[in-house]
Amino acid sequence: MKFLIAALSALLILSAPAQAKSLWVDNGYTSLYSDKKARNVGDILTIVINESTTQSATKSRSNSKSGNVSVGTGTGIFDFIKAFSASGSDSFNANGSATDTSRYSGQITVTVVEVLPNDNMVVEGVQSIWQNRDEHKITLRGIIRRDDVTLNNTVPSTKVADASIKFDGKGPLNAKQRQGIITQLFNFLF
């Protein structure tokens, strides 16, 4: 009887189909040899922000005019008019220049939110840093090409198309850097 039970058990074990399971989790990657770069919705990558802008404007305006009027003595019934002359001039000069230079650098990790039909990826992310009750926030949204993702899963900000990079902050220190309401009113009026 023991032999019969052992034989039936062996027969059941041998008749069950064998299932091979991989020791490696592929996470949607196609090959053991493929890289681990972002390529699907939900994947993350890092944008290396290195932006600088310089704007310069110089304006000069000049305007002048002059006029002379001369009247001789009146005759006949106009003899009460005495000879006189008048002249006037007006001139206006204005010069102005402005230069604005900005430099931004940092890193922000973003998420792929959409893969477009041409395999470009729409990425989006927010990074919020709090320091002494002040919040410093970086928001980025744009489109990147898969070819621009480096081996260490980063993309330079200069390779982000339709990029919207916003640096913002709030808190006591940021509030003190804004003009008061009366100053804003005077700036609006004058």
Side-chain angles (χ1 to χ4, degrees):
M1 184 74 157
K2 287 184 180 183
F3 178 73
L4 184 59
I5 293 174
L8 284 174
S9 297
L11 186 62
L12 285 175
I13 291 173
L14 293 176
S15 66
Q19 295 182 4
K21 300 250 180 177
S22 174
L23 295 175
W24 307 100
V25 178
D26 67 342
N27 290 331
Y29 296 101
T30 56
S31 163
L32 178 63
Y33 303 105
S34 69
D35 53 17
K36 303 290 184 182
K37 296 194 287 185
R39 66 182 68 221
N40 297 314
V41 172
D43 288 350
I44 61 172
L45 58 102
T46 301
I47 305 294
V48 180
I49 300 171
N50 190 6
E51 299 286 333
S52 63
T53 59
T54 301
Q55 297 175 342
S56 181
T58 302
K59 294 187 178 185
S60 178
R61 300 280 189 258
S62 179
N63 185 5
S64 65
K65 67 178 180 178
S66 63
N68 291 321
V69 175
S70 177
V71 176
T73 23
T75 59
I77 62 170
F78 298 108
D79 64 350
F80 64 91
I81 297 177
K82 306 290 183 214
F84 72 92
S85 66
S87 65
S89 64
D90 182 21
S91 70
F92 168 77
N93 287 317
N95 295 313
S97 66
T99 302
D100 183 19
T101 302
S102 301
R103 178 141 176 79
Y104 304 100
S105 61
Q107 294 183 356
I108 180 173
T109 301
V110 296
T111 305
V112 177
V113 294
E114 183 182 356
V115 178
L116 302 174
N118 61 356
D119 281 342
N120 288 346
M121 299 177 287
V122 178
V123 294
E124 183 175 278
V126 176
Q127 181 180 39
S128 180
I129 301 169
W130 285 88
Q131 179 182 9
N132 296 330
R133 293 183 293 161
D134 283 323
E135 180 186 24
H136 306 282
K137 192 181 218 179
I138 303 171
T139 305
L140 185 138
R141 182 175 172 83
I143 301 171
I144 60 170
R145 297 181 322 139
R146 284 189 179 168
D147 293 342
D148 292 333
V149 180
T150 64
L151 292 176
N152 57 354
N153 211 29
T154 62
V155 176
S157 62
T158 55
K159 301 273 185 178
V160 180
D162 297 330
S164 172
I165 305 172
K166 182 179 177 185
F167 293 88
D168 197 14
K170 64 181 179 181
L173 183 61
N174 287 314
K176 292 294 182 190
Q177 293 177 342
R178 292 188 181 104
Q179 293 178 338
I181 194 158
I182 294 175
T183 306
Q184 291 179 18
L185 181 62
F186 278 121
N187 286 338
F188 175 75
L189 294 174
F190 304 107

